[in-house]
């Protein structure tokens, strides 16, 4: 029996089962959102670490133990989220909560296709409200990055053709000393500068704000305008034509499933496991499968891997992915992407190792969970500049406080800016103060993190 979608109640309590990387990452974001977080884990060390690092309550125990759930006050929780490393524990605990406390939203991280099926996630599994597959979320993010030309400074959204581009102002740039309005005139493009990161401090600018050297500008514009801007500043990247995927992992399989047969025909997969190689050859007839150890110093030359436009390192070993992606650039590969599954600290190394994009399964999973928890009107969320700024993609409902209002009449307390609007027909535009938000419009809003709860209530 399909479980009816429940609206989030007024409770601020969220219970997270699993104090590992994903649990901690999610808890950190929810605490900033003003939630009261309770973490349950069977590891004393993980619970102690969570309580020490975060403003949360920790309970040592098993999430399938009803007594521990009652200790966490599950009855009055807004949501129960299971993100342990065990699919079975996540399923059973959420199923238990769903049957005993139907008013509580249940969310589970499930990796195995045994439970979800190869065609996607099944609604209503054990009555669970929302299931996220970390592998599928990561593959979806990588696919978007490929489509956007593997530019780590360009971010897309779910329901809009608008893009967000982070533009670094070099000390010798001609834009230094210009106002935002003057820069727009120089580039001859329609765009909004949603924020400026100035020496670690993020500000929401006005048209009169002066651009300084080493500023990072977050520019929102239509994809064609972003393309023109990137051409102007010499940073335009074409979509890669041929690519090599190192590691025949579950994420590799999910990524290939997203590609068309024509796109797969220009893909090579490298893995040292003979049985895995055979399986991929049978499943994806169009790809070239190379059985080899990528750490073999001769393999890059023998297989001419340096001739590829893009290398994506997708093994289960973070260090190997970082090294492989970095080395690929040195032997002639145009661009590279490295997957991080264990240690998010490696993401900071990317710019120093000439890796174009580092993608984290933890970050993509947390983003998916936050989108769901923040309500059905939120279709995308991007966090920038150490979480100081968030870019929301809202769909305006008829009940929204901003519906049928002009932007000039919406008080955002100078903490946010509407950076783009896409109507129900798919037409995108850069808004002005006279733009009226209508039911069904998709709106991009850049907001300072400390005001995100206020903006969610205003637009959601």
């Amino acid at each position: 029996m399909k479980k009816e979608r429940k609206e989030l109640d007024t409770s601020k309590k969220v219970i997270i089962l699993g104090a590992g990387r994903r649990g901690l990452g999610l808890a950190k974001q929810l605490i900033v959102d003003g939630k009261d977080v309770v973490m349950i884990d069977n590891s004393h060390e993980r619970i102690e670490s969570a309580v020490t690092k975060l403003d949360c309550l920790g309970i040592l125990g098993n999430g399938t133990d009803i007594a521990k759930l009652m200790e966490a006050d599950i009855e009055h929780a807004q949501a129960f989220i299971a993100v342990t490393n065990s699919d079975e524990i996540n399923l059973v605990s959420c199923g238990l909560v769903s049957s005993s406390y139907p008013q509580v939203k249940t969310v589970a991280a499930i990796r195995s296709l045994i439970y979800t099926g190869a065609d996607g996630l099944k609604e209503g599994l054990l009555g669970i409200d929302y299931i996220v597959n970390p592998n599928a979320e990561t593959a979806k993010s990588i696919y978007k990055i490929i489509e956007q030309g593997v530019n780590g400074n360009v971010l897309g959204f779910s329901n809009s053709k608008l893009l967000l581009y982070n533009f670094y102002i070099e000390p010798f740039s001609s834009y230094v000393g210009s106002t935002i309005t003057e820069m727009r005139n120089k580039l001859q493009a329609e765009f909004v500068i949603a924020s400026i990161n100035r020496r670690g401090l993020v500000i929401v600018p006005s048209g009169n704000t002066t651009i300084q050297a080493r500023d990072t500008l977050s520019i929102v514009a239509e994809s064609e305008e972003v393309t023109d801007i990137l051409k102007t500043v010499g940073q335009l990247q074409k979509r890669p034509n041929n690519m090599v995927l190192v590691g025949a992992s579950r994420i590799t399989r999910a990524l290939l499933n997203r590609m068309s047969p024509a796109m797969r025909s220009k893909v090579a997969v490298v893995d040292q496991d003979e049985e895995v190689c055979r399986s991929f050859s049978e499943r994806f007839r169009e790809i070239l499968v190379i059985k080899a150890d990528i750490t073999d110093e001769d393999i890059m030359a023998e297989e001419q891997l340096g001739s590829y436009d893009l290398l994506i390192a997708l093994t289960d070993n973070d260090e190997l992915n970082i090294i492989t992606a970095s080395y690929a650039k040195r032997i002639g590969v145009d661009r590279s992407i490295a997957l991080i599954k264990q240690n998010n600290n490696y993401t900071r190394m990317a710019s120093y190792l000439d890796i174009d994009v580092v993608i984290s399964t933890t970050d993509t999973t947390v983003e998916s969970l936050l989108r769901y928890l923040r309500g059905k009107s939120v279709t995308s969320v991007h966090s920038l500049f150490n979480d100081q700024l968030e870019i929301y993609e809202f769909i305006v409902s008829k009940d929204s406080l901003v519906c049928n209002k002009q932007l000039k009449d919406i008080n955002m307390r100078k903490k946010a800016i509407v950076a783009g609007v896409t109507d129900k027909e798919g037409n995108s535009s850069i808004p002005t103060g006279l733009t009226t938000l209508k039911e069904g419009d998709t709106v991009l809003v850049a907001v300072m993190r400390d005001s995100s709860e206020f903006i969610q209530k205003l637009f959601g």
Side-chain angles (χ1 to χ4, degrees), residues 84-359:
T84 75
N85 289 326
S86 168
D87 286 353
E88 290 72 20
I89 289 177
N90 294 343
L91 283 170
V92 171
S93 60
C94 281
L96 178 62
V97 171
S98 179
S99 60
S100 302
Y101 305 94
Q103 78 281 8
V104 179
K105 277 193 171 291
T106 49
V107 181
I110 305 297
R111 299 163 186 79
S112 176
L113 296 181
I114 294 175
Y115 303 110
T116 60
D119 297 328
L121 305 176
K122 297 177 180 177
E123 290 187 56
L125 182 63
L126 294 181
I128 300 171
D129 290 293
Y130 184 68
I131 293 177
V132 59
N133 185 316
N135 297 329
E137 290 297 329
T138 304
K140 180 167 65 175
S141 296
I142 294 173
Y143 184 79
K144 283 184 179 180
I145 290 169
I146 294 171
E147 288 291 291
Q148 293 165 5
V150 195
N151 189 325
N153 290 320
V154 177
L155 299 173
F157 300 89
S158 298
N159 296 320
S160 175
K161 293 180 181 178
L162 295 168
L163 299 175
L164 183 142
Y165 167 57
N166 287 323
F167 178 31
Y168 180 73
I169 302 295
E170 299 284 355
F172 50 81
S173 172
S174 61
Y175 303 116
V176 173
S178 301
T179 64
I180 299 296
T181 301
E182 290 169 345
M183 179 183 182
R184 185 179 292 112
N185 293 333
K186 286 181 181 179
L187 285 173
Q188 295 184 340
E190 287 296 319
F191 61 86
V192 167
I193 296 183
S195 69
I196 297 177
N197 182 4
R198 180 167 293 163
R199 293 179 291 279
L201 177 66
V202 178
I203 59 175
V204 177
S206 67
N208 295 322
T209 301
T210 301
I211 298 168
Q212 298 181 11
R214 298 183 177 86
D215 281 352
T216 297
L217 315 182
S218 293
I219 296 175
V220 174
E222 289 192 57
S223 55
E224 293 81 5
E225 296 281 10
V226 170
T227 298
D228 290 341
I229 292 171
L230 292 177
K231 282 181 181 178
T232 302
V233 299
Q235 294 183 10
L236 180 64
Q237 298 270 31
K238 293 182 179 180
R239 198 182 86 173
N241 184 45
N242 56 2
M243 63 193 84
V244 55
L245 313 182
V246 178
S249 62
R250 289 181 178 180
I251 293 175
T252 306
R253 184 183 294 271
L255 177 59
L256 290 170
N257 280 330
R258 287 191 163 270
M259 296 180 180
S260 65
M263 191 174 180
R264 288 198 295 262
S265 68
K266 297 178 181 180
V267 172
V269 174
V270 179
D271 197 280
Q272 60 182 332
D273 189 298
E274 185 173 353
E275 185 59 34
V276 171
C277 287
R278 184 182 299 110
S279 173
F280 268 69
S281 294
E282 293 172 354
R283 172 65 181 85
F284 305 104
R285 297 289 184 179
E286 306 89 356
I287 68 173
L288 169 65
V289 178
I290 302 171
K291 180 189 174 301
D293 182 353
I294 197 64
T295 62
D296 185 337
E297 61 181 356
D298 298 323
I299 192 61
M300 291 280 194
E302 289 177 359
E303 301 295 341
Q304 298 182 327
L305 299 187
S307 64
Y308 284 82
D309 296 331
L310 171 65
L311 180 143
I312 311 178
L314 296 171
T315 75
D316 293 326
N317 185 316
D318 290 354
E319 291 81 3
L320 179 58
N321 291 340
I322 290 287
I323 293 170
T324 302
S326 179
Y327 182 67
K329 298 293 292 291
R330 297 179 184 276
I331 64 166
V333 177
D334 289 340
R335 282 158 282 174
S336 67
I337 298 174
L339 171 69
I340 298 300
K341 299 186 72 174
Q342 307 296 330
N343 190 343
N344 260 23
N345 290 327
Y346 287 140
T347 59
R348 303 168 188 168
M349 299 181 181
S351 59
Y352 301 104
L353 298 174
D354 198 26
I355 300 170
D356 294 278
V357 178
V358 172
I359 189 160

Side-chain angles (χ1 to χ4, degrees), residues 157 164 192-196 202-205 218-220 382 384-385 388-394 412 414-420 443-449 451-452 455 459:
F157 300 89
L164 183 142
V192 167
I193 296 183
S195 69
I196 297 177
V202 178
I203 59 175
V204 177
S218 293
I219 296 175
V220 174
H382 291 302
L384 301 175
F385 312 130
Q388 291 186 66
L389 183 86
E390 290 189 323
I391 311 291
Y392 282 89
E393 182 184 46
F394 291 103
M412 291 182 282
K414 297 183 179 181
K415 293 290 186 178
I417 184 171
V418 175
V443 184
L444 303 185
V445 184
V447 56
M448 300 300 293
R449 186 60 191 271
S451 300
S452 62
I455 293 297
F459 284 83

